[in-house]
Amino acid sequence: MIRLNIISRIAGDKDFFSHYLETVSEIFSENNITIFVNFIGPIEDLNTYNKIIKYCTKHGIEKQISFTKKALPYCEIENTKKDVFLNASIGSFIGYSSIESIENSFKTIFFNVDETSFIKKKYISFCQNKTEFKDLILKIVFDNNTLNLIEKENKEIFKSFHLDTEEKQLLLNILNGKKKKKITKYQSLLLITTMVIFLKIVMIV
């Protein structure tokens, strides 16, 4: 049994839930495989909530859907061997909630919610569209090693958002206006990249 956990409020601006549910419905009808979906977060918009219920009932997957109806601390979220956490991305860019998910050892995959943005295919945990998302879910179901690979990728992704001791000090010195020895091209590129990533995370969140 695979359970997709979506840590998100149920709100009108979350119009990408339909892609998740369509995929779960297709897998159920075409492959007779039950994928459970657990929405973790408050219900802020009843119209969106009722839309989810209506779709699931129409396609016979209402018993596969659950809601916590409230936000939960990470320490209270169940994380079993077959739990997978689904986050939205914009192309290859992810928000801070995704980093938190990985930091809490949740097996995290990503669905691109912006069809105009493209993912550089490095990680299988990033899905460009519904087709890739469906393929990944089926791989998780049929290949036990897929979850291990996702966990490995998550660790690599998490590490890329952190600086080592020297890089931290260099950044602090520049921010504090302290003069230091001449910065190499690599260090300049590193600092620029770090700031760009930070700004993109802020914009996504």
Side-chain angles (χ1 to χ4, degrees):
M1 178 195 80
I2 299 297
R3 178 170 60 183
L4 289 175
N5 295 278
I6 303 168
I7 303 176
S8 174
R9 55 195 170 82
I10 307 298
D13 61 337
K14 303 292 183 178
D15 58 354
F16 45 81
F17 289 153
S18 60
H19 297 304
Y20 306 159
L21 299 175
E22 287 169 8
T23 301
V24 170
S25 174
E26 288 176 10
I27 291 175
F28 180 68
S29 62
E30 296 172 5
N31 305 87
N32 197 28
I33 295 172
T34 299
I35 305 294
F36 292 90
V37 179
N38 183 34
F39 288 92
I40 303 171
I43 297 174
E44 295 183 358
D45 181 64
L46 281 176
N47 286 332
T48 302
Y49 171 75
N50 289 330
K51 185 178 178 180
I52 293 173
I53 296 297
K54 183 178 179 180
Y55 180 90
C56 294
T57 301
K58 179 180 178 181
H59 292 84
I61 59 171
E62 68 276 10
K63 293 182 180 179
Q64 299 168 222
I65 311 298
S66 61
F67 301 84
T68 64
K69 298 184 179 181
K70 63 178 182 179
L72 295 177
Y74 282 108
C75 61
E76 294 182 12
I77 297 175
E78 188 175 16
N79 183 20
T80 69
K81 185 178 179 180
K82 292 299 184 179
D83 276 296
V84 178
F85 290 77
L86 176 58
N87 281 47
S89 74
I90 297 178
S92 297
F93 296 109
I94 61 176
Y96 186 68
S97 60
S98 298
I99 299 172
E100 284 187 311
S101 178
I102 295 173
E103 186 175 21
N104 283 275
S105 300
F106 296 158
K107 295 176 287 293
T108 308
I109 62 175
F110 308 92
F111 184 94
N112 175 34
V113 297
D114 181 7
E115 60 183 15
T116 65
S117 298
F118 295 92
I119 295 171
K120 296 178 180 179
K121 290 303 293 182
K122 180 180 180 182
Y123 299 115
I124 66 164
S125 50
F126 279 82
C127 304
Q128 175 68 46
N129 48 41
K130 198 177 75 171
T131 299
E132 289 188 6
F133 176 53
K134 182 179 177 180
D135 289 343
L136 178 58
I137 297 302
L138 289 174
K139 283 181 182 178
I140 292 173
V141 171
F142 292 113
D143 183 2
N144 293 329
N145 190 52
T146 302
L147 284 179
N148 294 330
L149 180 56
I150 288 172
E151 287 184 293
K152 181 180 178 181
E153 289 184 352
N154 285 173
K155 291 177 181 177
E156 291 180 13
I157 293 168
F158 185 75
K159 186 178 179 181
S160 70
F161 284 93
H162 292 75
L163 303 176
D164 62 29
T165 303
E166 182 181 356
E167 292 164 348
K168 287 179 183 177
Q169 190 58 54
L170 175 62
L171 182 57
L172 285 172
N173 287 341
I174 291 176
L175 293 175
N176 291 329
K178 294 181 180 180
K179 290 186 177 181
K180 202 176 187 298
K181 63 182 181 180
K182 187 175 179 181
I183 299 175
T184 65
K185 287 184 179 180
Y186 167 76
Q187 289 173 327
S188 299
L189 181 60
L190 176 66
L191 291 172
I192 293 171
T193 302
T194 301
M195 291 177 181
V196 169
I197 289 174
F198 173 76
L199 289 172
K200 287 184 179 294
I201 290 174
V202 171
M203 287 189 290
I204 292 172
V205 174

